[in-house]
Amino acid sequence: MSGLTEAELRALAGERSFERGLDYVDAVSRVEVGDGWIRASVRGTERYEVELFQDGRKSPAGTCDCPYGQEGNFCKHLVALGLTVIAQEVDLPRRRESARTRARGLDAWLTDLSREELLTLVREEMAEDRQLRRRLELKAASARGDLAGVRSRIRELLDIGPFAQYGYVEYADARAYADQAGQAVSAIKALTGSGRASDAMELARETIGLLAGVVESIDDSDGRLSQIGADLADAHHDACCAAGPDPEELAHWLVAHALDDAADLTDIDPLDYGDLLGERGMAALRRYAAEAWQANRTGWAEKHLMQRLAKAGRDIDTVIAVHAADLAPNGRTHLLIARELDTAGRTAEALEWAERGIREAEDLAAADTALIDHLTDRYTRTGRLADAVTLRRDHFAARHTLLAYQQLRAVARAADSWSAEREKALALLRADAERTGAHGGRALVDILLDDEDVDAAWQAAGEYGAHDDQWLTLADQSRPTRPADALAVYLRLAAALTRETGNRSYEQLVGLLLSIRDCHRRLGTPDDFTMYVTDLRAAQKRKRNLMRLMDEQGL
């Protein structure tokens, strides 16, 4: 750690974490100095253990068990330790040598103890430290080959009772529980290392089930149990590699596990066991998966497993069969099938499935828009523009939305048929407005505005109604050519805002006043505007922020 600088810490942590780390320097305690490493505790939301190390690297690295640090980041707590190291750099050699001296002294003392004295010491420590006692009990059971004892200790380690209040392990206690669960994983790995891989495999499976049964009762905000689950998966895989289980039995367990809630905890991929399963085991894996899917064709886990195995074996027909057995009424599943077939180069079949999705959709208004887009694109790329226009026309007729209109317009223009299609679309919208009133009229106004047909939009707004935002857009776009009509809109909207308070309303009102002034200028009636503003100021004089904004704009 010699030569560590603030610039290095800033580069490692980033500006934000470095600045926050400045506030934690006083929270650093229990600093321990070793060869190439420095450890300490830092008090944050809770007490975190941090370590800086160099290990031959040009720049230091670090670990911290805070949530941000566990994601691999150089956190504010590491910054605080780094700043402490810099401040105490002159004293580091002395502290390192002191640590070495203490370690040598402790080792020498332990070496000089007799067997009985060592036993007495360990018994005393176990009496004071329950966690130490449990760890040693687990080691003892494992060393004796006492599978029942190891199983019993693991069950104790995974029991949430000592940590849970009202049946739930809160965030503050989750780390301690995860530490115990980690000890169980270590015990399983130790069994594999000591030549008892079959026992380790059996216990790994039991432990996965036990932990999966309580994980929903634990606040795992920091993801510690997720890591335990991944470690358990590794322990099981290692045990299987060493034990060489029967391929069919392993395949049966992998399928059962994949369909169980415990799969979310470990994320075990059956295909990772391919070398252990061999041809016989892989055949059994597919057979068991198929049996499970046949029994529950709509189950997400069953479908996912079948598709995973089928894709791995490049069995596109099975992938399609799984999708086809549970077709969504909006055509989404048809699209998935079409994409799979396109990827496999079976374009004709892909098109058939996409078109089938449109035909079988219960309601084209609710059809998956991605399917509509996919099929339109397919038609366009293959020169079937008339079919693309028909699809977009039917979709717009079902939905009457601005987006559907824009999509129809784009493809109809490409087919050089927009003029006729536009008339049909607008006729539908007008009929809808006649039937539904303001709701349909607003859609018509938006579409006419998008077409930049302001005069038609103004007429539609007058006939069927429009909301204030639409009227404002109409007034803004019509002001140069229809200043009197625009003025009437601005005055109405301004009158409503004069009854409101708040800076946002004041800003909107001032914007309208500027537009009103422009209308009077175009109409040649500036004196009318002066009179209007004078009356407005008199009525609104108590609103100081409004008066200030008006002054800033020269109103």
Side-chain angles (χ1 to χ4, degrees):
M1 292 303 123
S2 60
L4 181 64
T5 66
E6 289 190 10
E8 283 182 301
L9 289 176
R10 193 183 297 271
L12 288 165
E15 194 65 34
R16 186 167 183 267
S17 288
F18 180 84
E19 293 298 327
R20 296 181 69 186
L22 295 171
D23 297 330
Y24 283 82
V25 173
D26 291 339
V28 177
S29 63
R30 300 194 303 189
V31 177
E32 297 180 23
V33 182
D35 291 322
W37 57 264
I38 298 177
R39 302 186 187 112
S41 296
V42 180
R43 171 62 69 179
T45 307
E46 53 184 283
R47 185 174 294 280
Y48 298 113
E49 299 303 317
V50 297
E51 179 178 343
L52 283 171
F53 51 88
Q54 208 140 15
D55 193 24
R57 305 175 187 214
K58 293 182 179 179
S59 297
T63 60
C64 177
D65 59 1
C66 74
Y68 190 60
Q70 286 189 330
E71 293 175 0
N73 300 296
F74 200 94
C75 64
K76 61 190 177 184
H77 308 112
L78 283 166
V79 171
L81 176 56
L83 293 170
T84 301
V85 169
I86 293 171
Q88 300 177 1
E89 184 173 10
V90 175
D91 195 40
L92 288 182
R94 182 193 63 78
R95 298 182 68 169
R96 184 176 293 110
E97 185 56 39
S98 176
R100 290 171 180 165
T101 300
R102 291 198 305 272
R104 287 194 296 266
L106 178 59
D107 186 67
W109 177 67
L110 290 172
T111 301
D112 288 342
L113 291 177
S114 66
R115 180 177 181 277
E116 290 302 320
E117 289 170 329
L118 276 172
L119 287 172
T120 299
L121 174 63
V122 171
R123 287 166 181 152
E124 289 174 351
E125 293 299 318
M126 285 195 300
E128 294 291 330
D129 188 338
R130 185 174 60 176
Q131 297 303 323
L132 173 63
R133 176 177 57 78
R134 285 182 171 176
R135 288 197 298 272
L136 292 177
E137 286 175 345
L138 191 56
K139 288 179 181 293
S142 179
R144 292 194 306 269
D146 179 6
L147 185 60
V150 175
R151 179 180 285 111
S152 176
R153 298 293 81 75
I154 286 178
R155 288 182 175 276
E156 288 180 3
L157 290 170
L158 298 181
D159 179 17
I160 65 170
F163 301 90
Q165 290 186 346
Y166 312 109
Y168 190 79
V169 180
E170 301 290 346
Y171 176 81
D173 299 309
R175 178 191 292 181
Y177 178 81
D179 287 344
Q180 283 200 182
Q183 294 170 29
V185 178
S186 297
I188 292 168
K189 290 182 177 180
L191 281 174
T192 300
S194 63
R196 303 189 59 197
S198 294
D199 291 340
M201 183 179 67
E202 180 183 340
L203 281 176
R205 296 177 183 181
E206 291 181 16
T207 303
I208 288 170
L210 289 170
L211 193 57
V214 299
V215 70
E216 293 299 325
S217 300
I218 303 166
D219 183 345
D220 191 34
S221 300
D222 291 345
R224 291 188 176 93
L225 286 184
S226 297
Q227 184 57 53
I228 297 296
D231 292 343
L232 260 176
D234 290 341
H236 178 263
H237 187 272
D238 292 345
C240 288
C241 289
D246 176 72
E248 291 227 9
E249 184 278 331
L250 177 58
H252 187 273
W253 183 85
L254 287 170
V255 170
H257 175 74
L259 303 181
D260 189 79
D261 291 340
D264 293 334
L265 172 69
T266 61
D267 198 26
I268 288 176
D269 185 350
L271 293 177
D272 288 341
Y273 291 75
D275 291 342
L276 292 171
L277 291 167
E279 290 186 13
R280 183 164 68 92
M282 288 301 297
L285 189 69
R286 294 188 180 94
R287 184 175 69 253
Y288 290 133
E291 290 172 357
W293 173 66
Q294 292 286 354
N296 183 19
R297 293 195 175 202
T298 60
W300 182 90
E302 287 81 358
K303 292 191 296 182
H304 177 74
L305 179 60
M306 277 293 291
Q307 290 169 353
R308 178 87 176 90
L309 296 177
K311 286 183 179 181
R314 300 188 180 184
D315 182 0
I316 185 66
D317 290 320
T318 296
V319 174
I320 293 168
V322 173
H323 281 310
D326 187 25
L327 293 171
N330 67 348
R332 175 62 180 170
T333 323
H334 298 76
L335 174 60
L336 295 176
I337 293 173
R339 286 174 173 169
E340 293 285 356
L341 287 166
D342 270 332
T343 301
R346 295 159 62 174
T347 55
E349 294 174 76
L351 178 60
E352 289 175 9
W353 271 101
E355 291 177 329
R356 178 179 164 183
I358 298 299
R359 290 195 305 271
E360 296 181 355
E362 293 181 352
D363 179 4
L364 197 57
D368 192 320
T369 56
L371 174 61
I372 305 288
D373 295 342
H374 173 87
L375 194 50
T376 303
D377 179 66
R378 180 67 182 273
Y379 285 151
T380 302
R381 285 189 290 108
T382 55
R384 296 173 58 180
L385 288 174
D387 290 332
V389 170
T390 299
L391 178 58
R392 287 300 189 191
R393 181 197 306 134
D394 292 344
H395 192 227
F396 171 73
R399 293 180 67 92
H400 289 191
T401 64
L402 174 59
L403 177 58
Y405 181 85
Q406 291 169 332
Q407 292 168 329
L408 171 61
R409 181 175 63 199
V411 73
R413 281 178 173 170
D416 198 24
S417 62
W418 176 231
S419 179
E421 292 297 334
R422 183 174 188 267
E423 289 304 315
K424 295 175 187 175
L426 293 180
L428 281 174
L429 290 168
R430 290 192 178 95
D432 191 37
E434 291 285 354
R435 185 175 64 257
T436 63
H439 177 74
R442 289 170 182 173
L444 177 60
V445 170
D446 276 339
I447 283 170
L448 289 169
L449 284 171
D450 192 68
D451 268 346
E452 299 182 359
D453 192 346
V454 179
D455 289 338
W458 194 284
Q459 182 179 349
E463 289 182 19
Y464 306 114
H467 54 67
D468 286 346
D469 286 344
Q470 288 177 316
W471 278 115
L472 181 59
T473 300
L474 283 167
D476 288 342
Q477 294 189 13
S478 303
R479 193 164 70 225
T481 57
R482 307 174 65 159
D485 291 335
L487 177 60
V489 173
Y490 292 139
L491 289 172
R492 179 178 65 81
L493 297 177
L497 284 172
T498 58
R499 296 189 289 273
E500 298 182 12
T501 59
N503 289 338
R504 187 171 182 275
S505 296
Y506 300 157
E507 290 169 0
Q508 291 174 335
L509 178 55
V510 168
L512 289 173
L513 292 175
L514 293 173
S515 297
I516 292 170
R517 183 173 65 182
D518 184 55
C519 287
H520 278 294
R521 181 184 62 78
R522 294 175 184 276
L523 291 167
T525 55
D527 291 343
D528 290 351
F529 178 70
T530 300
M531 185 181 301
Y532 172 78
V533 170
T534 300
D535 292 344
L536 181 68
R537 278 184 169 274
Q540 304 289 318
K541 62 183 178 181
R542 293 180 180 275
K543 298 176 180 177
R544 296 180 181 178
N545 284 350
L546 174 60
M547 295 299 103
R548 176 180 57 78
L549 289 173
M550 292 178 66
D551 290 340
E552 290 175 357
Q553 297 297 328
L555 296 169

